[in-house]
């Protein structure tokens, strides 16, 4: 967890130091920072470090709740699409969930296991939360695919295709792992598993996407 944190922070710093800033690079940095914050939160939970377990759970979920709209927004920016109601609604839904997590009692705690952290979210809220998460990711991938088919710039097309590969790099392994795990109901390792594999997304984003949509300093 802490190693992944440093990798993602390092990737964000690489963009800051070596790429010129535009909206695409800023969104990429925000994505990397949110991923890193979740890894730090997991480390805090497992090591009882710096704050209470409940506080770390809330910090972690605030960070990962922002990931789907940030990714969707990035797809729009790279594809040159005008920001519309789809992106705005995704941010609004994320803010609502964040409000529930910070001020409500939806997050009941977490348990540190050997390979990931088990989070407890009562039903039906867990199902609705993953519905929001998965639908937003599917929309982002779909728009990235359809936009890549019509854009004329080869660099833009390649960036959008790399984003799709980045999404699949953590979605597919996460599905495989959660299919065969022994947890069910309100004890869910899915956020931990997805964000663990999301380091692959972070690497693809930094190496294959950002260089195609930004210039060197």
């Amino acid at each position: 967890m802490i190693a992944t944190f440093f990798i993602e922070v390092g990737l964000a710093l690489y963009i800051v130091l070596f790429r010129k800033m535009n909206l695409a690079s800023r969104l990429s940095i925000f994505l990397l920072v949110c991923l890193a914050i979740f890894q730090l939160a997991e480390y805090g939970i497992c090591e009882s470090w710096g704050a209470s377990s409940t506080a770390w759970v809330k910090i972690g979920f605030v960070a990962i709740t922002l990931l789907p709209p940030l990714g969707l927004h990035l797809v729009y920016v790279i594809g040159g699409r005008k920001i519309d109601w789809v992106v705005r609604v995704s941010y609004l839904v994320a803010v609502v969930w964040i409000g529930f997590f910070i001020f409500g009692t939806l997050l009941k705690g977490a348990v540190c296991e050997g390979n990931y952290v088990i989070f407890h979210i009562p039903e039906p809220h867990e199902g609705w939360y993953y519905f929001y998460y998965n639908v937003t990711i599917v929309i982002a991938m779909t728009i990235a695919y359809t936009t890549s088919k019509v854009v004329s710039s080869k660099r833009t097309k390649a960036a959008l295709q790399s984003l799709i590969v980045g999404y699949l790099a953590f979605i597919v392994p996460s599905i495989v792992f959660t299919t065969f795990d022994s947890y069910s109901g309100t004890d869910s390792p899915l956020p931990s598993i997805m964000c663990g594999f999301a380091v692959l997304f972070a690497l693809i984003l930094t190496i294959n996407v950002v260089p195609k949509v930004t210039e060197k300093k």
Side-chain angles (χ1 to χ4, degrees):
M1 294 167 187
I2 199 66
T4 304
F5 166 79
F6 282 117
I7 290 171
E8 290 163 349
V9 169
L11 294 174
L13 287 175
Y14 170 81
I15 296 174
V16 170
L17 294 174
F18 296 104
R19 311 303 302 189
K20 289 185 177 180
M21 287 295 102
N22 58 21
L23 185 54
S25 59
R26 290 188 182 95
L27 288 170
S28 299
I29 291 168
F30 287 145
L31 278 164
L32 292 168
V33 169
C34 285
L35 285 170
I37 288 173
F38 184 79
Q39 293 298 325
L40 184 64
E42 287 195 309
Y43 179 80
I45 292 168
C46 290
E47 297 296 324
S48 300
W49 173 76
S52 68
S53 176
T54 300
W56 277 123
V57 171
K58 290 185 177 184
I59 291 169
F61 265 79
V62 167
I64 63 170
T65 300
L66 288 171
L67 292 174
L70 284 171
L72 177 60
H73 193 174
L74 181 61
V75 168
Y76 269 68
V77 170
I78 292 175
R81 296 173 64 102
K82 183 179 179 181
I83 302 303
D84 58 18
W85 65 270
V86 178
V87 176
R88 295 189 180 96
V89 168
S90 71
Y91 275 115
L92 177 61
V93 176
V95 169
V96 170
W97 277 111
I98 288 171
F100 286 147
F101 291 145
I102 293 176
F103 302 108
T105 58
L106 291 185
L107 298 175
K108 298 296 185 180
V111 177
C112 184
E113 295 287 344
N115 296 317
Y116 40 68
V117 177
I118 308 298
F119 295 96
H120 182 79
I121 306 174
E123 289 288 7
H125 305 95
E126 182 186 42
W128 283 111
Y129 180 70
Y130 293 139
F131 177 79
Y132 144 74
Y133 218 93
N134 295 332
V135 166
T136 309
I137 289 175
V138 169
I139 291 173
M141 292 178 64
T142 301
I143 292 176
Y145 176 77
T146 55
T147 305
S148 71
K149 292 296 184 180
V150 297
V151 294
S152 57
S153 169
K154 291 183 178 179
R155 290 174 65 87
T156 300
K157 184 187 295 289
L160 291 169
Q161 291 172 344
S162 293
L163 269 179
I164 296 171
V165 173
Y167 274 117
L168 292 175
F170 74 88
I171 291 172
V172 173
S174 299
I175 291 174
V176 172
F177 268 70
T178 53
T179 298
F180 293 101
D181 72 48
S182 60
Y183 298 92
S184 61
T186 58
D187 294 321
S188 176
L190 183 58
S192 184
I193 293 172
M194 289 185 69
C195 285
F197 283 110
V199 69
L200 300 175
F201 174 85
L203 289 166
I204 292 170
L205 177 65
T206 306
I207 296 171
N208 287 337
V209 177
V210 173
K212 294 179 175 64
V213 295
T214 64
E215 297 179 359
K216 289 182 179 179
K217 283 189 175 179

